[in-house]
Amino acid sequence: ELGLRAGVALENAQLYRTANDRRAQLDTVLAALEEAVIVYSGAGNLRLGNRAAAGVFEGTLPTTLTELWQRLTPQSGGPPAESSAADEGVEVRADEGTRWFELRRYGAPAEPFPQGADVSGQPTVIVLRDVTAARAARAAREAFLGVLSHELRTPITTIYGGSQLLERGMDGKRRKEVMGDMRAESERLVRLVDDLLVMSRVERDMVETGDEPVLLQHLLASIVAGSPARWGGAHISLHVGPRLPAVRGDSTYIEQVVRNFLTNALRYGKGAEKGIEIHAEQVDDNVAVRVLDRGTGLAGESEEKLFELFYRSNAARAIPGGAGIGLFVSRHLVEAMGGRIWATDRPDGGAEFGFTLPIIDTDPGI
């Protein structure tokens, strides 16, 4: 009898050590998972949850399945969280937070438990995978496709229609007007494509800028004088400080930023009616370029929002054209060249869009 009892005690001890080892292994695996994992008993009571799950619910896990469903909010118009299945996830938010998760629900196989354990029904495993970034990317992709289809349609239609009119023949004055429209829309198409190329590089974190000395006074003069028709006949005045030093940057990208600013001033700042000013001057160890208009200003819009991808203010949406890409691209280009970009209201009316670029140190040994 003593021998039998001793054998049972040794077997129980071995089983206890094995169970502890397996629990430790399970805890290690669950802790290493990025997904939140929560396990409920057949009666719907909390049995375990990993570190990621504690982060989702800010350290306080739902103690029952019922509480879990109450703390999860599905997307508007989507199915309720409790209807999720392993093969069909539901996107939810936890505790009305800003992060979104794909919820999947699995039924765990029943296992033998000691007498008195909570074993009624089938255990439930809940897995929450963070899809916040994926949702943002999906929304950006849908917005991109919508903007692209709209923005490409106008210039392509103008160019195609103009080419058909030129084939039929017309008088000199009308012919000149059609060719002007085609040239303007072609340039608009080129600017859009340039911005889209930079945007794609930004999303892949592959923006590479040249590191060369650039004389902004020459570059800005070339932009202003290059094609007056490009800016709708707007009067653009250039004001450059004396003996402006060279800056470090990429002339192609600097020109792209300035063109985006000018297009913005022309479209939203009444540049064609009231003119546009470009100022360039040295400020400490940088050269600052400011594009000024006399429109309605920023109309209370946040500077940060203006430089977000696809963002267009209420006033901007009322004006045809514009994709909400140019300022986003400009910000990333300027920052990639080591500069700073901003937008602000002018005290006497209108808006100011500007950027700085670092001056090249001509005597690094001093």
Side-chain angles (χ1 to χ4, degrees), residues 188-219:
R188 175 183 171 186
L189 191 58
V190 169
R191 290 196 302 272
L192 178 61
V193 171
D194 288 341
D195 285 343
L196 290 174
L197 288 174
V198 174
M199 188 189 75
S200 67
R201 293 169 187 157
V202 168
E203 291 182 335
R204 292 178 292 170
D205 196 20
M206 295 176 59
V207 177
E208 296 181 0
T209 61
D211 189 11
E212 59 189 24
V214 180
L215 291 172
L216 287 176
Q217 56 268 46
H218 295 165
L219 179 61

Side-chain angles (χ1 to χ4, degrees), residues 53-70:
V56 171
F57 293 96
E58 299 183 354
T60 308
L61 291 174
T63 56
T64 65
L65 265 175
T66 302
E67 182 186 350
L68 174 70
W69 306 138
Q70 292 172 348

Side-chain angles (χ1 to χ4, degrees), residues 212-253:
E212 59 189 24
V214 180
L215 291 172
L216 287 176
Q217 56 268 46
H218 295 165
L219 179 61
L220 294 175
S222 174
I223 294 173
V224 172
S227 176
R230 174 181 299 148
W231 312 115
H235 175 70
I236 303 175
S237 58
L238 177 61
H239 308 272
V240 178
R243 303 185 64 181
L244 209 60
V247 298
R248 187 182 304 280
D250 187 309
S251 58
T252 300
Y253 285 151

Side-chain angles (χ1 to χ4, degrees), residues 59-328:
T60 308
L61 291 174
T63 56
T64 65
L65 265 175
T66 302
E67 182 186 350
L68 174 70
W69 306 138
Q70 292 172 348
R71 295 175 65 177
L72 293 177
T73 305
Q75 61 183 340
S76 178
E82 55 266 36
S83 67
S84 63
D87 57 348
E88 186 176 351
V90 173
E91 292 188 358
V92 297
R93 289 183 300 165
D95 296 333
E96 299 292 336
T98 58
R99 297 165 62 194
W100 285 90
F101 301 89
E102 181 189 67
L103 182 149
R104 291 185 181 272
R105 181 180 183 181
Y106 301 86
E111 296 181 6
F113 291 100
Q115 188 172 359
D118 183 4
V119 294
S120 57
Q122 188 182 39
T124 300
V125 179
I126 303 296
V127 178
L128 297 170
R129 183 172 64 89
D130 194 327
V131 293
T132 306
R135 279 177 62 92
R138 185 168 67 244
R141 184 168 56 252
E142 292 172 355
F144 168 75
L145 292 175
V147 167
L148 188 62
S149 61
H150 179 269
E151 286 299 304
L152 288 178
R153 186 182 303 276
T154 301
I156 290 176
T157 301
T158 301
I159 295 170
Y160 179 70
S163 65
Q164 289 186 318
L165 290 175
L166 290 176
E167 286 181 350
R168 297 173 185 173
M170 58 186 65
D171 58 64
K173 182 179 179 180
R174 179 57 179 158
R175 179 184 181 88
K176 186 176 181 180
E177 291 177 356
V178 171
M179 292 183 67
D181 290 341
M182 292 175 64
R183 180 173 58 251
E185 293 300 331
S186 297
E187 291 173 350
R188 175 183 171 186
L189 191 58
V190 169
R191 290 196 302 272
L192 178 61
V193 171
D194 288 341
D195 285 343
L196 290 174
L197 288 174
V198 174
M199 188 189 75
S200 67
R201 293 169 187 157
V202 168
E203 291 182 335
R204 292 178 292 170
D205 196 20
M206 295 176 59
V207 177
E208 296 181 0
T209 61
D211 189 11
E212 59 189 24
V214 180
L215 291 172
L216 287 176
Q217 56 268 46
H218 295 165
L219 179 61
L220 294 175
S222 174
I223 294 173
V224 172
S227 176
R230 174 181 299 148
W231 312 115
H235 175 70
I236 303 175
S237 58
L238 177 61
H239 308 272
V240 178
R243 303 185 64 181
L244 209 60
V247 298
R248 187 182 304 280
D250 187 309
S251 58
T252 300
Y253 285 151
I254 296 173
E255 181 175 352
Q256 187 171 346
V257 172
V258 175
R259 290 185 188 280
N260 281 336
F261 281 4
L262 288 173
T263 301
N264 196 73
L266 181 68
R267 182 175 292 150
Y268 309 115
K270 299 182 179 180
E273 305 170 21
K274 301 183 178 182
I276 303 171
E277 299 177 21
I278 303 178
H279 293 257
E281 58 185 346
Q282 182 176 350
V283 180
D284 298 327
D285 295 331
N286 300 278
V287 171
V289 177
R290 298 180 296 133
V291 176
L292 313 176
D293 64 55
R294 296 191 177 278
T296 57
L298 304 186
E301 293 292 335
S302 164
E303 176 183 342
E304 287 299 318
K305 281 187 172 296
L306 288 173
F307 291 100
E308 289 180 0
L309 182 60
F310 300 133
Y311 179 78
R312 300 187 71 208
S313 65
N314 292 330
R317 283 194 290 268
I319 300 173
I325 299 175
L327 293 181
F328 169 83

Side-chain angles (χ1 to χ4, degrees), residues 10-67:
L10 289 173
E11 183 178 0
N12 288 341
Q14 181 63 37
L15 290 173
Y16 182 78
R17 284 195 298 269
T18 301
N20 275 349
D21 290 342
R22 290 182 177 177
R23 179 59 184 262
Q25 293 173 3
L26 177 61
D27 289 343
T28 301
V29 171
L30 291 178
L33 292 177
E34 293 184 1
E35 292 83 0
V37 179
I38 312 174
V39 179
Y40 291 93
S41 68
N45 298 315
L46 177 66
R47 286 185 56 191
L48 62 90
N50 65 351
R51 187 183 308 164
V56 171
F57 293 96
E58 299 183 354
T60 308
L61 291 174
T63 56
T64 65
L65 265 175
T66 302
E67 182 186 350

